Amino acid sequence: MCGIIGYVGNNAAIPILIGGLESLEYRGYDSAGVCVLNKSELQVVKNKGKVIEIKNDKRINLIEGVCGIAHTRWATHGEPNEINAHPHTNSSNSIAVVHNGIIENYHSLKRLLEKEGYIFRSETDSEVLVHLVEKFYRNCSLGSAVLEALRLVEGTFGLAVVHKNKNEIIAARRGSPLVIGLGDNEAFLASDATALVKYTKRVIYLKDNEIAIINNKEIHIKNFDGENVSLNVENLKLEVEQIEKGSYKHFMLKEIFEQPDSVKRTLTGRLKNSRIKLSLNLQDIRSIQRLILVGCGTSWHSALIGKYLIENMAKIPVEVDYASEFRYRRPLVVRNDLVVGISQSGETADTLAAVREAKLLGANTIGLVNVVGSSIARECDSGIYLHAGPEIGVASTKAFTSQVTALLLLALYLAEIRGEKIEENLFRELENLPKQVKEVLSEADNVRKVAEKYYKSSNFIFLGRGINYPVALEGALKLKEISYIHAEGYPAAEMKHGPIALVDENMPTVFICTKDSTYDKIISNMQEIKARKGKIIALVNEIDPRLSVLADDVIFSQKTDEFLSPIVNSIPLQLFAYFIADLKGLDIDKPRNLAKSVTIE
Ligand code: M6R
């Protein structure tokens, strides 16, 4: 949620800030703003709408200066408009702040500050920060004033502050990520390392409860107790091409087509001679009694698949919980529980809080995370990085298939430890998986043709059974989030307990009916829909004469082991959602109301 970028050095700040906002736009895109210091003056330009509005604003061309901060917003408090856009400045326009997170006690702080005469302009929670910094900026450094201000603040923040007379940026973090990039006589600040890779690969991840004083000569980091923190400079393993669209129309399409490689990377070094190699530094992994898988959105769907995999292969009971529910329902977690936090970004606030809660309750924790060095990855006792590469499209695609692949590896690893027998054929299929993912992508043109027939429909139902029931949920989520078409996923047999009332000749139902242990059952469910004149789109991996009677349209997937089928089956559904949204002419990488990483509750 929200993207922050900062620059201090010897080059013009504006191109770097605008470029950074463009890279970070997937984090929020309802308004944006920049602030640059020039000759003891803060020059601020803010706009409602996407970053392009700021980029094309003529006022931007008049801004000069080599130190500044910028922000792209996903609104929480106050509607998306110019006044509520960041940066926020104090009344005398000497201090500016950009903020990501939520100030939970902003009401009481605002009342207090208003009583002292501070004038508020916006409806945001963030504005209290700039007035608080002004209040404490008396005979002390800007950094000390920010620290004093933050002592009063409850909630989460990643923030950056500048003062008109100081060529420096003060950055602080609690709960919202910030990374500092080191250049030659210049430094950068961003919510996400992807915005920095063009400029530098040397980065420092700010930790929670740390504050950084950044200028073009040096960086100084302290904890909130005022103690110095030594600088841990890391090398980014990221290439510029990975964060560019290349010849693809959208990041989502690029990421869908990257899946043969991303799945391969998840497997690399972890599968050899039918043995699984994971470096999980967990005490007593043999005594695990139960796993609890937590995540949100798409990551929750992969958790549901993980339950099938782990229970079937390793024979260990698994519970799946929405991270947001787990953290507040006083879960019964005991010592021999293993809690697995699943997250692409590694920053989702609810998943992070769920992992923390599990640790407090004495459980072991594992993170299945894509973004290296992210909060969840750092918080967990151990982890399996997905290595899917940067995922920029808001709709998760390659991270999902890598999550399921990583869960497969975890299931096999636990099965091996438990002495459970696994069919040799599964390992062969797993080695072959990237190839099958490539094969299934060759179906794209046919998927587009089917999408052309249905893109004007207002509602869809997605049905699957067993391990492919979560694939139905994921297919429905993909469609609704990028095409704004109402779609629901169900276990196919649940249809007749209510949702079947929705079926008529205008309602398309997508059936995931690849050959598996529930195949004949799902054919019966299809007949029930056909009897009510519903339109049927069947995702299949074998030609079956019964289907030519039942299905109005067919999309082909690949034949593979049932345990691997969610990976290949989800890909045509990603393409289906993509083509429908594209035919509707929508902004696929930045769907309305959404943001890529949800760092607030
Ligand atoms: O970064 P995370 O995996 O923790 O994100 C969780 C969800 O916010 C995310 O999967 C969301 O549902 C996606 N937009 C789905 O495409």
Side-chain angles (χ1 to χ4, degrees), residues 296-299 342-348 351 376 394-396 403 474 477-478 481 594-598:
C296 303
T298 287
S299 299
I342 307 175
S343 174
Q344 187 287 129
S345 61
E347 301 294 348
T348 299
T351 311
I376 296 171
V394 165
S396 189
Q403 284 168 347
E474 177 60 6
L477 176 62
K478 283 296 86 91
E481 72 180 324
L594 290 173
K596 180 71 180 162
S597 65
V598 183

Side-chain angles (χ1 to χ4, degrees), residues 174-189:
R174 187 199 289 150
S176 297
L178 280 178
V179 53
I180 301 165
L182 313 180
D184 294 333
N185 296 320
E186 60 183 356
F188 308 81
L189 175 75

Side-chain angles (χ1 to χ4, degrees), residues 243-258:
I243 54 159
E244 285 176 346
K245 267 203 301 247
S247 55
Y248 288 93
K249 188 168 176 190
H250 295 100
F251 277 108
M252 182 179 175
L253 191 62
K254 177 181 180 230
E255 287 155 9
I256 290 174
F257 274 89
E258 278 173 353

